[in-house]
């Protein structure tokens, strides 16, 4: 099933009732959930806030970039 697209071109995925996960090494500020083949990421401190939605390819690129230090701001 292909979800409807939002005006920004991203899929509208219903994360209601999703099981949110956080790293066992962190304090749980960033949470992710897997729904209908998409990955959602949110700020665990603002559970009613926005959810970033990734396709599997986008998620893979994000994770590989993070592993390579692409987002290291220090």
């Amino acid at each position: 099933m292909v979800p409807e697209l939002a005006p920004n071109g991203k899929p509208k995925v219903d994360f209601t009732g999703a099981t949110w996960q956080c790293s066992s090494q962190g304090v749980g500020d960033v949470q992710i959930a897997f729904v209908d083949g998409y990955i959602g990421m949110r700020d665990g401190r603002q559970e009613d806030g926005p959810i970033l939605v990734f396709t599997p390819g986008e998620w893979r690129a994000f994770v590989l970039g993070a592993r390579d230090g692409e987002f290291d701001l220090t």
Side-chain angles (χ1 to χ4, degrees):
M1 175 177 127
V2 177
E4 179 183 348
L5 296 181
N8 65 3
K10 288 293 200 175
K12 288 184 179 180
V13 180
D14 184 4
F15 286 94
T16 304
T19 300
W20 291 91
Q21 304 171 39
C22 60
S23 169
S24 62
Q25 297 177 6
V27 294
D29 291 347
V30 176
Q31 298 177 330
I32 61 170
F34 300 91
V35 174
D36 295 335
Y38 293 92
I39 299 90
M41 183 168 62
R42 71 179 184 185
D43 182 343
R45 295 170 295 178
Q46 298 179 2
E47 294 180 359
D48 292 330
I51 298 171
L52 300 175
V53 179
F54 296 89
T55 65
E58 290 170 330
W59 184 251
R60 179 171 170 73
F62 171 75
V63 170
L64 291 175
R67 284 183 185 163
D68 287 344
E70 183 176 332
F71 311 113
D72 187 3
L73 302 176
T74 59

